[in-house]
Amino acid sequence: MAENRTPIVIGSDHAAYALKEKIKAFLIERSIDVEDVGCYSEDSVDYPDVGIKVASMVSSGKFEQGILMCGTGIGMSMVANKFPHVRAALCADIFSAIMSRRHNNSNILVLGGRVIGDILAMEIVKVWLETPFDGGRHQRRLEKFDQINKDFTNKT
Ligand code: RB5
């Protein structure tokens, strides 16, 4: 895995707290700077509160990439994808993780702590971090995402 890469912001709710701690250790072991926005125990929290923190930090450009985790990953991906410039990919397999980088330039990886095991989760994180965006025709397609936000802004 590439060293000296940009820092990663991570967050989870209680359902994926244990996975978040493992992912954090996995990143730190690889000399990747990690900003952990919570949660900090298995006490129940509302996943949107954490999802909003991570997604807003990626949306603003403060962090290039983030990782979000909840029980299924579904709630976190729903929240994150409401933010402009966020392309959150819920991945439960290696192929999707690779393609979410190559074709979708995903900037937030979402994992379901109650869906996948720790070893698969680490492998998914590894390939997601290592895989570059293909660009080209995929860039043109991603630019169409931004148009959605512009269209909504113009209507309100
Ligand atoms: C928490 O019980 C659970 O709803 C949450 O972790 C997540 O799976 C939501 O999508």
Side-chain angles (χ1 to χ4, degrees):
M1 192 178 298
E3 302 296 331
N4 302 320
R5 51 168 302 118
T6 58
I8 306 276
V9 56
I10 67 169
S12 77
D13 73 353
H14 54 283
Y17 169 73
L19 177 61
K20 174 175 68 68
E21 293 302 300
K22 287 182 184 137
I23 299 286
K24 182 162 66 176
F26 179 83
L27 296 172
I28 290 168
E29 262 171 38
R30 284 154 185 82
S31 308
I32 296 171
D33 286 339
V34 181
E35 173 97 5
D36 179 0
V37 302
C39 59
Y40 303 114
S41 75
E42 287 185 340
D43 292 348
S44 181
V45 295
D46 293 340
Y47 64 83
D49 296 337
V50 179
I52 287 166
K53 282 187 194 169
V54 169
S56 59
M57 287 160 105
V58 173
S59 183
S60 68
K62 186 171 178 194
F63 284 82
E64 271 179 38
Q65 292 184 314
I67 302 175
L68 274 170
M69 291 147 271
C70 64
T72 58
I74 294 170
M76 286 297 197
S77 53
M78 287 177 169
V79 168
N81 279 316
K82 288 192 170 294
F83 284 74
H85 317 302
V86 165
R87 294 174 301 278
L90 171 56
C91 296
D93 66 273
I94 301 287
F95 178 71
S96 298
I98 291 171
M99 297 314 289
S100 84
R101 291 287 312 125
R102 288 188 53 192
H103 285 195
N104 313 114
N105 199 13
S106 61
N107 50 13
I108 295 184
L109 172 66
V110 190
L111 301 168
R114 291 174 175 163
V115 177
I116 55 170
D118 295 344
I119 293 174
L120 177 56
M122 306 296 173
E123 286 301 311
I124 288 173
V125 169
K126 187 170 179 291
V127 297
W128 187 77
L129 291 171
E130 284 173 348
T131 306
F133 177 46
D134 281 359
R137 69 185 185 282
H138 303 293
Q139 180 58 35
R140 184 185 71 238
R141 292 165 183 167
L142 296 188
E143 281 160 15
K144 297 188 177 188
F145 287 34
D146 291 333
Q147 194 57 44
I148 298 169
N149 290 101
K150 283 183 196 142
D151 290 347
F152 273 109
T153 309
N154 292 338
K155 273 185 200 150
T156 52

